[in-house]
């Protein structure tokens, strides 16, 4: 036999070591979600901080004595330091936003990610910092005829030990019992008269501690670098979702699965490790909508006000004037602005359409998509490929963009609309990543990560101003059409299904089909935006389908206010302007962007549109 | 030749250090400054780009202290983060050209960003001096009149390495490379070239871990299982550190010949520290062994100015400014058409010696060093390093013509 | 003719029997109550009729047509309106819009992307609200109503499709006693007037004995007794497992009050 048993054994052990590390990190994430219901993007930042603190503390301790005790003491200290940072985040930020919509919390934690990234660069510098090896565990151990790192054997044991300790904590301590109670039913904890703030602070400590521990334990294997946060966070999310959000046992099972999948996946598909985990997640969610060991969220139906567009009202006279003014301003940019202003204005219009289409799903339909950029990007690819590969002119290629966006939204949406809540959101992410991986990997057609250049408009539309007008017309047509649908029976049906799927079914609405159709329409609109974007940039590449762009879109609708109809347009303009102001100022523009996102969430917890609506209500309410 | 003259003057200023630069500034250069837009991934790829920017600033200061360019005009760089995505970069490029009134643009690190900006420059008919992106496509299939590159491309660096393997007897090769354009094209170039250097060489295993996410245990296990005689590696940064550690512990590199791209560059060598591999044949930058008084003076001036050792990025930044200054002096115009024509086969004397911007593919002949890794005082360095002049490793001319015609 | 016929419905949840051979029938204009202790399988049987649950075996016939396993929306279109234990309405909409939405759905216009939903079926919505005494709050946001009023609006929604059969899962749960009686009187009145069959579950024995024509008693998934309120009250088995003596007294009081 060509593949020996000893090799398979060692490969499986490698998988176990990765699984252990992954579990330790994911257990913290799932814990925090279970108790606070916050999707904590900053968990990856805690992991990174754990590694950075450890590569700072541990070598210093090892100077005293090169002993394993001091090494692991250093690892634990690092984890505690990160735990304290978690507490700080809870007290300074999260505590103020438990009452705001879940998506805002997510956005705020994303702001933290951006800030930590730049802070780490500032404090530790841009070079990767390799940590010291663990004394006493530097060597390799012979397993049959293969050499295997002793440290990884230790890691294999560490995962189950953490699992065991967590079990003890959850079942034998009052804190743990409260954690479990809160995970099952948050209101119950309030009813028990427990100090909820203290419970949440403790949870954040534990969650951040586990992330920090995961990071600190990695230092003998990988060097601390400023990119490690984002590389771990998606994987940690995948583990928690496959396992079932809030289930620690499920996270353990999922980590084992993913560890083995990667260890053996590289043998069979050395090029698709990028997407294997997402394929697995998509598969699991299609078969088990609540993950392996997750519980269905209570099916009793909502009794709380939904987050999203409430009664959409028409424009008041003053607002119509304002709108007219805005359109005139957008139309006159090419007359008064320089080419750069035109470019920025064009982009704002395109993003406004994309953001509007996302809010059509999120705000109006209650369907939270973490992967909306996929349809934007696929639209861009459809246009770009038609122009560069088939030599088509711009006009038909632009028509293909919404068709492509709509087609893939229909394809993916068929599975997506079967799920609910965070699982649905994660499935949108999985499909987006699969689409991303295809664009990234299918080099012959898509040009791989280099993408394709030469996607320029037809001659008559080549000037910046001409193209600006095309975008203005197309984006406005798209936005107004979607807006019309929101006010039409179909849009109302989506809101009805969001408010109460049970009631909607009981009055004869086929909820799933309506959501599917809504998803397709939103995908088509995003595709159109993507096509417009491709021609404005002249190139397409996989970042157009990437998670960062999806997050940007979410940020736009949240900043604008997802409970208002026109808020996303405002949000797109605000978000783009913030980025545009900060980027030229400093290399650390991500820090400023993160800080302003957090500030906006704190000051305008309902977005700019929400703030406007509140202001309007106050003035009209005060009038006789 | 005035380029030599210019080089010496810059050198003098460099030797005198900051004080001279500060005094010389106002006095020496007059007239409207010449502004150049530099966009790069200073945030995301800070390890390479910050030392690069430092050296550019230092070079500009030295040139200005020595009288500037084009008969006394100051050289000014406007630095911008390119956002590390093509979409952001193209917008930033537009901003530099319209708002900052830069004469032309330079920079970019990631290949996809470089290609997008290159196409944008072609559309706007403005010079784009691509400094760092390695993608072969930039000067080959997707090359255009306005895009010029200085740094040796993936093909050139791979070719230098493969030449260094000539005469070896290892036939069974394994490839490990990051899964994106640079890694894929390094692997493709290697597959294409290795047969010429070692007749009968075959590729028996390939691993393409995702960039920044190498699962080192699984990857090393898979490579070892194939029992290769030799390994070609294109991993760098954190992936490289993880790979080397895991490989060392598991004995992957024992009795195996390793060719490794970029590993000898200080950016990637310094983090490896006392775990730097022994005897790998690599491309890199052995700072302590550079030849030529000018080059050594550059290293010293950089150390003095930034209290840090220069990196490969620093050298690239410095040489970039030298070439650009030479171009401006020769062209004596900011008309981008004139600038592009001036660049064609422009020879510049730089700290690494003569660099020619070859006209046919608009690729510079700047080279790099090839040598063996070794350890000295717990730090990785190179031995038997020699400067491989890029001119000897360029794409064959017929191939360029075929690629650029298509 | 018989409006609803339920034959031998069975449902297990992971080995736990929630319904065993449940059979009953209901005539147009008749009010049938389903009672039993918590966990007796009332909601399960109820949801199998409404389409929310698919039975393991057995049949549900509506006016002779087999509707077993049809999804709720299809059951609805065949003329079944229902209310839920925890009232389900569209909280983001106004009271009137809730009714407009229901009417749009019954008209099969939910995929309409051109019309403006707020302009559709305004008068019909008001008429329905008037029927349940809620016309005066038509413009209020649904979320601002007291729970008793929400239940009334839900009843109006359930009636919006002009149903032949009304399914009501604990229609008075969570309401004040005075409101309960009023709501049940309202339901009974509408049912008799329009010859709508009503199947309801209820914990409030006053409501059951006051208005039901017949009563089914479920215990551990099985019907242990069925018949007129008098029959059920007299059934010793029912008294033993469910009603008890105090429950019986309460039931007698309720009967007296309703007819007194």
């Amino acid at each position: 036999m060509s593949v020996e048993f000893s090799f398979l054994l060692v490969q499986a052990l490698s998988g176990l070591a990765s699984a252990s590390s992954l579990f330790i990190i994911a257990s913290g994430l799932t814990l925090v979600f279970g108790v606070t219901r916050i999707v904590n993007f900053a968990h990856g930042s805690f992991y990174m901080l754990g590694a950075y603190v450890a590569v700072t503390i541990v070598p210093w301790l090892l100077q005293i004595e090169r002993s394993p005790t001091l090494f692991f003491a250093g690892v634990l200290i690092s984890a505690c330091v990160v735990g304290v940072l978690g507490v700080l985040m809870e007290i300074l930020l999260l505590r103020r936003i438990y009452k705001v919509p879940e998506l805002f919390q997510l956005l705020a934690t994303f702001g933290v990610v951006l800030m930590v990234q730049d802070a780490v660069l500032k404090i530790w510098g841009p070079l990767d910092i390799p940590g010291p090896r663990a004394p006493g565990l530097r060597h390799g151990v012979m397993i049959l005829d293969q050499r295997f790192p002793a440290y990884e054997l230790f890691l294999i044991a560490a995962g189950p030990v953490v699992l065991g300790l967590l079990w003890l904590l959850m079942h034998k301590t009052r804190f743990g019992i409260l954690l479990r109670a809160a995970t099952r039913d948050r209101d119950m904890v309030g009813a028990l008269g427990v100090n909820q703030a203290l419970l949440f602070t403790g949870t954040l400590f534990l969650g951040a501690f586990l992330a920090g521990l995961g990071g600190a334990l990695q230092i003998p294997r990988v060097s601390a670098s400023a990119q490690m946060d984002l590389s771990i966070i998606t994987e940690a999310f995948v583990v928690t979702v496959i396992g079932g959000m809030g289930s620690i046992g499920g996270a353990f099972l999922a980590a084992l699965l993913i560890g083995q999948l990667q260890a053996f996946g590289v043998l069979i598909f050395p090029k698709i490790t990028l997407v294997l985990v997402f394929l697995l997640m998509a598969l699991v969610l299609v078969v088990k909508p609540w993950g392996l060991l997750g519980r269905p969220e209570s099916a009793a139906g909502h009794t709380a006000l939904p987050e999203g567009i409430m009664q959409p009202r028409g424009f008041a006279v003053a607002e119509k004037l304002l709108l007219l003014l805005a359109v005139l301003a957008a139309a006159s940019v090419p007359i008064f602005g320089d080419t750069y202003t035109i470019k920025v204005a064009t982009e704002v219009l395109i993003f406004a359409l994309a953001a509007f289409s996302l809010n059509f799903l999120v705000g109006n339909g209650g369907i939270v998509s973490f992967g909306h950029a996929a349809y934007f990007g696929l639209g861009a690819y459809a246009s770009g490929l038609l122009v560069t590969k088939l030599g088509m002119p711009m006009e038909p290629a632009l028509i293909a963009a919404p068709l492509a966006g709509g087609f893939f939204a229909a394809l993916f949406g068929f599975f997506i609309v079967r799920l609910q809540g965070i699982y649905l959101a994660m499935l949108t992410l999985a499909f987006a990543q699969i689409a991303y991986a295809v664009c990234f990997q299918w080099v012959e057609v898509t040009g791989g990560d280099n993408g394709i250049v030469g996607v320029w408009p037809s001659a008559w539309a080549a000037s910046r101003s001409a193209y600006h007008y095309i975008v203005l017309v197309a984006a406005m047509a798209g936005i107004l059409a979607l807006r019309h649908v929101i006010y039409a029976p179909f849009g109302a049906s989506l809101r009805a299904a969001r408010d109460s799927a049970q009631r909607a079914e009981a009055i004869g609405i086929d909820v799933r089909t309506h959501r599917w159709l809504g998803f397709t329409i939103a995908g088509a609109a995003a595709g159109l935006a993507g096509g417009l974007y491709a021609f404005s940039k002249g190139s397409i590449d996989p970042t157009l389908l990437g998670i960062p762009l999806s997050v940007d879109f979410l940020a736009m609708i949240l900043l604008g206010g997802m409970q208002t109809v026109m808020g996303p347009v405002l949000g797109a303009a605000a978000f783009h302007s913030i980025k545009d102001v900060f980027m030229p100022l400093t290399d650390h523009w991500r820090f400023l962007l993160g800080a302003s996102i957090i500030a906006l969430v704190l000051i305008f917890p309902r977005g700019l549109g929400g703030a406007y609506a509140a202001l309007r209500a106050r003035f009209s309410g005060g009038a006789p | 030749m005035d380029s030599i003259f210019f080089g010496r003057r810059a050198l003098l200023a460099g030797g005198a250090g900051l004080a001279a630069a500060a005094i010389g500034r106002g006095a020496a250069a007059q007239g409207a400054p010449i502004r150049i837009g530099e966009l790069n991934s200073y945030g995301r790829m800070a390890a390479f780009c910050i030392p690069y920017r430092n050296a550019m600033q230092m070079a500009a200061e030295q040139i200005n202290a020595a009288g500037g360019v084009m008969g006394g005009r100051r050289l000014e760089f406007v630095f911008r983060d390119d956002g590390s995505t093509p979409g952001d970069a193209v917008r930033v490029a537009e901003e530099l050209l319209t708002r900052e009134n830069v004469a032309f643009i330079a920079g970019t690190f990631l290949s996809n960003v470089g290609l997008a900006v290159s196409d944008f420059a072609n559309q706007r008919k403005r010079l784009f001096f691509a400094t760092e992106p390695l993608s072969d496509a930039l000067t080959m299939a997707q090359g255009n009149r306005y895009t010029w590159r200085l740094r040796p491309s993936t093909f050139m660096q791979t070719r230098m390495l493969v030449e260094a393997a000539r005469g070896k007897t290892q036939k069974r090769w394994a490839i490990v490379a990051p899964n994106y354009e640079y890694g894929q094209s390094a692997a493709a170039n290697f597959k294409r070239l290795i047969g010429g250097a070692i007749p009968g060489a075959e590729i028996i295993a390939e691993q393409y871990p995702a960039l920044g996410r190498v699962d080192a245990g699984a990857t090393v296990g898979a490579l070892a299982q194939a029992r290769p005689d030799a390994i070609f590696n294109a991993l760098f940064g954190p992936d490289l550190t993880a790979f080397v550690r895991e490989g060392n512990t598991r004995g992957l590199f024992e009795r195996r010949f390793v060719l490794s791209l970029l590993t000898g560059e200080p950016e990637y060598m310094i983090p490896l520290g006392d775990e730097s591999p022994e005897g790998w044949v690599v491309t890199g930058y052995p700072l302590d062994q550079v030849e030529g008084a000018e080059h050594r003076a550059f290293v010293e001036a950089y150390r003095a100015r930034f209290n840090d050792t220069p990196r490969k990025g620093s050298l690239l930044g410095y040489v970039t400014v030298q070439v650009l200054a030479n171009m401006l002096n020769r062209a004596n115009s900011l008309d981008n058409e004139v600038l592009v024509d001036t660049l064609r086969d422009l020879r510049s004397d730089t700290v690494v010696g003569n660099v020619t911007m070859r006209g046919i593919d608009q690729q510079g002949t700047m080279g790099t060093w090839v040598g063996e890794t070794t350890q000295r005082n717990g730090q990785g360095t190179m031995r038997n390093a020699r400067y491989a002049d890029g001119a000897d490793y360029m794409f064959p001319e017929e191939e360029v013509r075929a690629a650029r015609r298509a | 003719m018989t409006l609803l016929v339920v034959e031998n419905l069975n449902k297990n949840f992971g080995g736990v029997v929630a319904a065993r051979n449940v059979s009953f029938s209901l005539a147009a204009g008749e009010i049938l109550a389903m009672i039993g202790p918590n966990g007796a399988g009332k909601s399960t049987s109820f949801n199998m009729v409404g389409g929310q649950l698919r039975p393991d075996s057995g049949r549900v016939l509506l006016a002779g047509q087999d509707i077993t396993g049809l999804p709720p929306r299809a059951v609805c279109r065949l003329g079944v309106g229902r209310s839920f234990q925890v009232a389900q309405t569209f909280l983001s909409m106004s009271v009137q819009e809730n009714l407009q939405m229901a009417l749009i759905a019954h008209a099969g216009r939910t995929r309409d992307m051109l019309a403006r939903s707020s302009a559709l079926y305004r008068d019909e919505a008001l008429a329905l609200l008037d029927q349940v005494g809620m016309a005066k709050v038509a413009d209020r946001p649904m979320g601002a109503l007291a729970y008793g009023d929400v239940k009334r609006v839900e009843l109006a929604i359930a009636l919006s499709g002009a149903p032949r059969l009304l399914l009501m899962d604990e229609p008075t749960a969570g309401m004040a006693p005075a409101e309960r009686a009023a709501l049940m009187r309202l339901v009974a009145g509408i049912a008799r007037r329009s010859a709508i069959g009503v199947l309801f579950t209820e914990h409030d024995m006053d409501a059951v004995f006051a208005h039901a024509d017949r009563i089914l008693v479920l215990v551990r998934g099985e019907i242990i007794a069925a018949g007129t309120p008098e029959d059920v009250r007299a059934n010793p088995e029912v008294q033993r497992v469910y009603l008890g003596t105090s429950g019986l007294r309460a039931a007698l009081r309720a009967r007296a009050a309703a007819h007194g």
Side-chain angles (χ1 to χ4, degrees), chain B residues 7-271:
Chain B
R8 291 229 175 94
R9 287 183 65 175
L11 189 69
L12 281 172
L18 259 179
I23 296 163
R25 188 170 295 169
Q30 280 154 2
I34 293 167
R35 293 158 69 82
I36 300 171
E38 227 298 323
L39 66 162
N40 231 314
S41 299
Y42 301 114
R44 199 60 64 75
M45 301 291 157
F48 197 97
C49 293
I50 301 283
Y52 164 85
R53 181 172 62 187
N54 286 343
M56 286 190 117
Q57 277 167 328
M58 185 174 88
E61 281 164 13
Q62 292 174 351
I63 286 167
N64 291 337
V69 290
M70 283 170 52
R73 293 175 68 178
R74 280 170 48 74
L75 201 54
E76 260 182 36
F77 281 95
V78 183
F79 296 100
R80 284 280 190 281
D81 196 286
D82 63 13
S84 303
T85 64
D88 280 338
V90 168
R91 187 180 67 250
V92 171
E94 184 82 62
E95 191 231 338
L96 286 167
L97 288 176
T98 38
R99 286 279 165 84
E100 300 293 343
N101 285 316
V102 298
F104 58 91
I105 48 178
T108 74
F109 184 91
L110 300 171
S111 290
N112 54 356
V113 174
L115 285 166
V117 173
S118 151
D119 196 49
F120 163 80
N122 189 37
Q123 192 77 3
R124 290 282 312 256
K125 303 201 184 320
R126 301 296 284 268
L127 169 61
F128 169 46
F129 200 78
T131 48
E132 292 160 333
L134 287 169
S135 174
D136 296 324
L138 197 64
T139 54
M140 296 290 282
Q142 298 182 24
N144 62 54
R145 169 173 161 82
Y146 298 91
T147 301
W148 295 75
R149 174 174 51 203
L150 182 61
R151 191 181 183 191
S153 67
T154 313
F155 174 81
M156 292 163 70
Q157 300 207 37
T158 310
R159 191 170 170 190
M160 291 170 191
L161 272 188
V162 170
E163 285 306 315
R166 192 173 286 282
K168 298 278 181 184
T169 54
Q170 284 82 356
K171 295 265 198 295
R172 293 163 54 81
W173 285 82
I175 294 177
V176 56
N179 190 6
Y180 77 111
E181 203 272 347
Y182 151 75
Q184 289 154 2
S185 75
N189 286 325
F190 178 78
K191 285 184 198 167
R192 166 184 164 186
L193 294 169
I194 189 65
I198 304 176
E202 55 173 341
I203 313 297
I204 54 158
E206 295 171 64
Q207 281 295 319
Y208 297 93
L211 177 65
R213 303 184 185 190
V214 63
D215 187 344
T219 305
V220 166
L223 288 176
Q225 172 61 12
R227 305 199 193 292
D229 303 330
I231 297 169
F232 172 74
N233 166 58
L235 299 178
F236 63 95
D239 289 339
L240 177 69
T241 318
F243 177 68
V244 168
R245 281 198 165 178
E246 194 78 30
N248 279 341
T249 315
R250 297 201 191 200
L252 176 67
F253 309 125
E254 287 163 17
R255 294 180 302 283
R256 290 206 170 101
F257 179 58
V258 180
L259 284 183
S260 191
L261 270 180
L262 308 184
T263 308
E265 297 187 354
E267 284 86 338
Y268 311 121
M269 204 75 175
I270 292 172

Side-chain angles (χ1 to χ4, degrees), chain A residues 11 14 130-131 133 147 152 220 227 266 271 339-341 347 440-441 449-450 454 456 464 537 587, chain B residues 44 53 86-87 91 94-95 98-99 112 119 179 181 207 218 225 227 245-246 249-250 254 271 275:
Chain A
Q11 204 68 359
S14 296
R133 301 275 204 121
R147 211 188 306 163
E152 288 183 30
Q227 282 92 43
V266 301
K271 282 195 170 181
T339 48
Y340 178 66
T341 319
E347 282 175 26
F440 193 99
Q441 214 77 77
D449 56 312
N450 271 354
W456 295 106
R464 289 263 172 282
K537 291 291 172 184
D587 303 342
Chain B
R44 199 60 64 75
R53 181 172 62 187
R91 187 180 67 250
E94 184 82 62
E95 191 231 338
T98 38
R99 286 279 165 84
N112 54 356
D119 196 49
N179 190 6
E181 203 272 347
Q207 281 295 319
Q225 172 61 12
R227 305 199 193 292
R245 281 198 165 178
E246 194 78 30
T249 315
R250 297 201 191 200
E254 287 163 17
E275 303 202 41

Side-chain angles (χ1 to χ4, degrees), chain A residues 364-377:
Chain A
N364 194 61
I367 304 165
V368 176
S369 170
F370 285 174
H372 204 55
Y375 313 104
F376 181 86

Side-chain angles (χ1 to χ4, degrees), chain A residues 285-287 289-290 361 365 367 409-410 412-420 424 490 493-494 496-498 500-502 504-506 508-521, chain C residues 52 71-73 77 110-111:
Chain A
L285 286 182
V286 166
V287 178
W290 310 101
L361 282 183
I367 304 165
F412 297 153
F414 179 77
F415 301 100
I416 288 169
V417 297
R418 275 145 210 274
L419 307 192
Q420 279 156 40
L424 183 151
F490 180 69
S493 304
L494 286 179
R498 172 199 69 190
S500 168
Q502 234 179 358
E505 283 278 341
I509 299 178
D510 182 348
V511 169
R512 200 177 273 177
T513 308
H514 279 72
R515 296 170 90 192
W516 187 28
L517 193 56
F519 200 86
T520 307
I521 291 172
Chain C
Q52 281 81 11
R73 56 178 182 277
R77 282 182 208 128
T110 54
R111 286 180 178 78

Side-chain angles (χ1 to χ4, degrees), chain A residues 200-267:
Chain A
F200 282 17
T201 311
T203 307
L204 254 292
F205 176 82
L206 188 57
F209 173 88
L210 287 166
L213 181 66
L217 282 174
Q218 288 303 306
I219 61 164
R221 303 176 78 202
V222 300
S223 42
S225 74
Q227 282 92 43
M228 58 198 301
D229 53 348
L230 289 181
S231 64
I232 201 74
I233 188 67
T234 40
E235 246 168 68
F237 267 123
V238 168
V239 168
T240 39
V241 166
I242 289 180
M245 296 293 283
S247 162
I248 291 176
F252 189 75
L253 208 62
L256 284 182
L257 212 60
I258 286 180
Q260 294 308 322
L261 186 72
Q262 283 178 332
F264 290 98
V266 301
L267 300 176

